[in-house]
């Protein structure tokens, strides 16, 4: 692909005008829902509803036929009953439309007659050279372009995760989920039955997409295995790919089978494909996005040696346990580091790994001096940092410091700013990844401020540890591909 | 123990008056923090700050010595520098105080001289028959009694989880965490170094506590192994006990060692102790509380056969995969059930297990008719139900239905009430456990309403599946203990 504009997905993800089939003045119809989603995000392009009877659909002039449109739109968005889809595709072709999304289901995934209906649909598109996403998908979310063709209202902000998913729900259900973690989609594709455009095309697009730092895949089955592996290997040296594949247990495999109609192959086969392709494998949707969060924040982790900084023993022990189970190492502190730390850690604390600060009176000890020493220890690769002080407790402390009630909120914010600025300054002046974990709400003020500024802070140490380990696996896979590519290049010279 | 009042922990968890050592007018001192926590929760009992110099501490009259107090308080709460603690305990004994919490650290857990200081402390208490919690603990939270002796501000509401923890953080750090899940502590103890009262005493107290439906333990090491097992076995037939023990990986074991000074024994030994004791083992703090949530909501799960109801394929496949990995079964639907479901599931959907509803126009199909049929299927033990429709999407739909803007919020609430009332009615009329999973925020209106009414809805299907499996393990362990007890009774007759 010469440039991202050459991808068939470019007009699909960046349309300036859309012909919409299936929206009406019936609020509970799915097509009307899609129109609502486009409007809610304030889509800037033109929208042309096509409706056999209505003069207007919501606030838009409606057209009886796509052939009546004043221009050829970039994209046809089709949410009609199954039996009407092929003839609609044909009409789009006659109008000269070259790209479509077919949301409608009832095709190959239901078996029987659906298989023939899908063949008809593909034939209609091929006749005019139309490239399309679907059927049985929910389309695209490209929040930077204010585009959301899904039934669900978009929540959150644009982010760095490019996604291609064989489940539409795993696009829409993640809008709110990702925004809670202060991350988000660059562009997300629901691929549906992949009758024309498939997941390999999506990976290619996302590989070229400048807003995408990391690619997330939800996979139930891959048809073009070899193309998939080659495509991934060409992208992985530049950006990481993380995949959640279901098929690991027989139950999941059976469930996957009935869903998009793709055959969910055996787990071991996919394990091999991912390894060959340089793709990190996640074990759940949450882990998929945890690893993306980690890799989008810190694309390179040099090794598996983790230093843990905590306030208290229990969360330190749990983090150590989690790191151990995830296959990470906890090196002992160097004598130099121990010497540098001793002025900052009270006698009730423990200067080891995990470092247990217990309780101190000086805020900057915990948020600046100690992590600075730990980041400068050359025997560790990552600092895993525990956040425990809630906004409520900070506010109580401020109040007890004797500030007048009307200044308490302001002084609390000052304290939180001091803490977050310290940590951001550490990140700006040190190369080593800094990862947080907490049991607080991710909306708690200090945590929120930091995740919004790009620091990954995971709910619980297990998620943090597994994300660190997966990110390190990316380093290894990437290096392996680079070495093998350079060997091949050398051999071909 | 004849009654809960006979427990040495009763006055500690339910004091009517407290002598507080260590609070001052210095807002950053830990003792002042504790006083702030007591005040924030509006503790109803008397508080007597003891301070060598101040006339008043915050708004309280201060006393130079505990001997000056106008009465003998139920409880001494000690947050003083290590070297002052023994003599303070002695003074409390002279005053006639019989119960204490020692928050101060610097004892056995730091080694060296700390070991002797702890011996002195124990001797001082024994001299007067004082029972105490700690040292090196953060005390008790009993929100029904408005008691919170910890440094952190209490958040949330009283709940049904009784906790005893060898980490204080795992009490305080969970205040907000539990309230986010609409669950909470009945009473939570931080046991510290267990110099006098130990975790076995706490288990006994919580076993007798009428507000406690399930007991949660965080364990780094148990000293009185035999007493622990006997105590647990006497409680498990009445209420479940769930434990998170660290020591499973060498790293965690090492970290545990340095914390409370208890020796973290080998993982397999504890595995055996828990099995013998009938205790469910959790693998993380989150899992600990997930299992408590499940067991507090549905104390008896009859088997491992799970029926999954979803809107969409991906979340269904992930749930099926998660159930498979957790060791649960997904039985096929009976022909009777399939027949009864067919009017409610559109042709794009899939009537199997997982059931995939896809998209329908009638809300009551998904929230009443379908789950009713599934709950009545006699071949399944649990219904696992997917929640995906966010408040934002429902509000958008309401708006599109054409209601005037000022009625949209009200109509949305009506729709959410209809859905939640349906499900609550199902729970009231069926015995089978109903468990939810979602990727939505637990504050999203429908989910929130349901969890506040006692329906466990887990973030992600893995947590739900593991909690279901653990709850079924409780059924098995409980039955085993009951059988072995009745055998013994029969033999002794």
């Amino acid at each position: 692909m010469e440039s991202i504009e050459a991808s068939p997905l470019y007009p699909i993800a960046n349309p300036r005008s859309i012909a919409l089939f299936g929206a009406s003045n019936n609020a509970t119809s799915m097509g009307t829902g899609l129109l609502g989603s486009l409007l809610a995000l304030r889509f800037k392009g033109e929208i042309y509803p096509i409706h056999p009877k209505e003069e207007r659909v919501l606030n838009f002039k409606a057209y009886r036929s796509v052939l009546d449109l004043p221009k050829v739109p970039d994209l046809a968005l089709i949410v009609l009953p199954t039996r009407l889809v092929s003839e609609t595709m044909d009409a789009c072709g006659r109008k000269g439309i070259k790209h479509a999304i077919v949301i409608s289901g009832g095709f190959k995934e239901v078996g029987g007659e659906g298989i023939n209906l899908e063949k008809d649909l593909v034939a209609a598109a091929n006749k005019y050279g139309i490239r399309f996403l679907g059927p049985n998908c929910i389309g695209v979310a490209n929040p930077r372009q204010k585009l959301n063709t899904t039934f669900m209202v978009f929540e959150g902000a644009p982010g760095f995760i490019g996604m291609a998913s064989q489940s539409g729900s795993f696009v829409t259900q993640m809008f709110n989920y990702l925004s809670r973690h202060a991350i988000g989609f660059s562009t997300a594709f629901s691929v549906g039955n992949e009758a024309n455009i498939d997941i390999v095309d999506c990976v290619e697009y996302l590989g070229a997409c400048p807003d995408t730092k990391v690619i997330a895949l939800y996979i139930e089955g891959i048809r073009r295995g070899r193309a998939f592996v080659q495509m991934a290997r060409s992208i992985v040296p530049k950006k990481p790919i993380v995949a959640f594949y279901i098929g690991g247990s027989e139950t999941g495999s059976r469930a996957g089978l009935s869903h998009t109609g793709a055959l969910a192959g055996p787990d071991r086969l996919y394990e091999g494909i991912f390894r060959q392709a340089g793709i990190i494998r996640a074990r759940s949707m949450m882990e998929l996005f945890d690893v993306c969060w980690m890799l989008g924040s810190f694309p390179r982790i040099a090794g598996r040696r983790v230093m843990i900084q905590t306030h208290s023993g229990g969360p330190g022990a749990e983090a150590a346990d989690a790191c151990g189970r995830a296959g990470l190492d906890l090196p002992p502190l160097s004598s130099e580091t121990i010497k540098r730390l001793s002025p900052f850690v009270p006698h009730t604390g423990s200067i080891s790994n995990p470092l247990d600060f217990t309780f101190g009176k000086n805020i900057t000890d915990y948020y600046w001096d100690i992590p600075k020493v730990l980041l400068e220890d050359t025997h560790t690769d990552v600092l895993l940092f525990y956040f425990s002080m809630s906004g409520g407790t900070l506010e109580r402390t401020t109040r007890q410091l004797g500030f007048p009630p009307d200044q308490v909120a302001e002084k609390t914010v000052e304290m939180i700013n001091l803490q977050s600025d310290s940590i951001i300054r550490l990140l700006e002046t040190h190369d080593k990844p800094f990862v947080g974990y907490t049991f607080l709400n991710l909306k708690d003020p200090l945590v929120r401020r930091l995740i919004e500024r790009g620091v990954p802070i995971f709910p619980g140490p297990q998620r943090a540890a597994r994300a660190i380990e997966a990110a390190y696996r990316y380093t290894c896979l990437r290096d392996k591909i680079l070495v093998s590519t350079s060997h091949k290049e050398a051999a071909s010279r």
Side-chain angles (χ1 to χ4, degrees), chain A residues 30 34 77-79 101-105 133 135-139 149-150:
Chain A
M30 202 162 179
L34 297 209
L77 186 53
I78 303 171
V79 207
I101 301 176
V102 182
I103 309 283
S104 315
L133 202 61
N136 183 31
C137 76
I138 55 163
T149 73
T150 80

Side-chain angles (χ1 to χ4, degrees), chain A residues 309-323:
Chain A
Q309 178 181 338
T310 72
H311 265 299
S312 47
E318 186 178 5
D321 181 67
C323 286

Side-chain angles (χ1 to χ4, degrees), chain A residues 21 40 86 122 146 156 167 197 220 266 300 324 373 412 415-416 476:
Chain A
F21 300 83
S86 276
V122 169
K146 310 288 183 198
S167 159
I197 288 173
E220 293 185 351
R300 192 172 172 83
V373 172
T412 307
M415 188 146 49
I416 290 164
C476 301

Side-chain angles (χ1 to χ4, degrees), chain A residues 387-424:
Chain A
F387 290 92
S388 66
M389 200 64 77
S390 73
T393 295
L394 285 175
E395 193 173 308
R396 197 269 318 273
T397 307
T398 313
R399 196 174 302 119
Q400 290 191 335
L401 281 165
F403 288 106
D406 61 322
Q407 289 180 28
V408 165
E410 187 193 330
K411 291 289 166 189
T412 307
V413 169
E414 268 177 32
M415 188 146 49
I416 290 164
N417 283 345
L418 180 71
Q419 295 168 355
S420 61
D421 289 350
S422 279
I423 287 175
I424 296 297

Side-chain angles (χ1 to χ4, degrees), chain A residues 173-360:
Chain A
Q173 290 293 295
M174 296 299 156
F175 292 159
N176 178 286
Y177 179 83
L178 295 180
S179 83
R180 297 205 301 278
H181 296 76
I183 50 179
F185 288 125
S186 50
T187 296
F189 297 105
S190 151
V191 299
N193 292 0
E194 301 173 83
N196 181 293
I197 288 173
D198 74 356
I199 200 160
V200 181
D201 300 312
C202 294
V203 171
E204 180 179 39
Y205 177 89
L206 295 170
C209 168
D211 300 319
T212 298
K213 284 192 192 178
V214 49
I215 297 172
L217 304 176
Y218 170 72
I219 290 170
E220 293 185 351
I222 290 171
R223 296 205 187 88
R224 291 198 288 149
R226 190 165 303 189
F228 177 79
V229 169
Q230 280 174 355
M231 183 61 70
R233 284 180 71 88
S234 74
I235 292 168
V236 166
K238 289 170 292 181
K239 60 179 90 170
I241 305 177
V242 193
F244 174 41
Y245 163 75
I246 292 186
S249 77
E250 237 191 303
T251 8
S253 172
R254 260 186 287 137
L257 188 59
S258 65
H259 181 208
T260 51
L263 187 72
D267 191 71
R268 235 179 296 176
L269 176 70
Y270 279 85
E271 189 72 37
I273 287 179
F274 294 142
R275 199 179 313 113
Q276 226 188 317
I279 291 175
I280 311 299
R281 185 169 179 188
R283 294 285 171 179
S284 68
M285 281 309 285
M286 286 194 180
E287 193 170 304
L288 177 71
F289 289 113
D290 283 351
V291 178
C292 287
W293 194 7
M294 186 69 211
L295 283 166
S297 312
F298 297 106
R300 192 172 172 83
I301 290 194
R304 57 173 83 253
R305 298 168 306 171
V306 178
M307 177 69 220
I308 300 170
Q309 178 181 338
T310 72
H311 265 299
S312 47
E318 186 178 5
D321 181 67
C323 286
R325 285 176 198 278
L328 300 169
D329 297 331
L330 269 70
L333 301 185
S334 70
S335 54
E336 165 72 9
T337 295
I338 293 172
K339 210 173 92 192
R340 289 181 64 195
L341 285 174
S342 50
F344 305 112
V345 179
H347 82 289
T348 49
S350 157
I351 303 182
S352 55
N353 189 8
L355 182 135
D356 177 1
F357 179 67
T358 62
F359 183 83

Side-chain angles (χ1 to χ4, degrees), chain A residues 399-459:
Chain A
R399 196 174 302 119
Q400 290 191 335
L401 281 165
F403 288 106
D406 61 322
Q407 289 180 28
V408 165
E410 187 193 330
K411 291 289 166 189
T412 307
V413 169
E414 268 177 32
M415 188 146 49
I416 290 164
N417 283 345
L418 180 71
Q419 295 168 355
S420 61
D421 289 350
S422 279
I423 287 175
I424 296 297
R425 216 161 1 117
L426 284 171
L427 259 81
E428 287 168 355
T429 49
H430 295 79
D431 267 344
K432 203 172 284 179
F434 178 107
V435 181
Y437 73 105
T438 192
F439 295 103
L440 294 171
N441 195 324
L442 295 186
K443 280 191 175 158
D444 211 88
L446 174 60
V447 169
R448 192 74 204 170
R449 193 148 314 200
L450 287 168
I451 65 178
E452 282 175 355
R453 293 172 80 173
V455 182
I457 301 180
F458 293 92

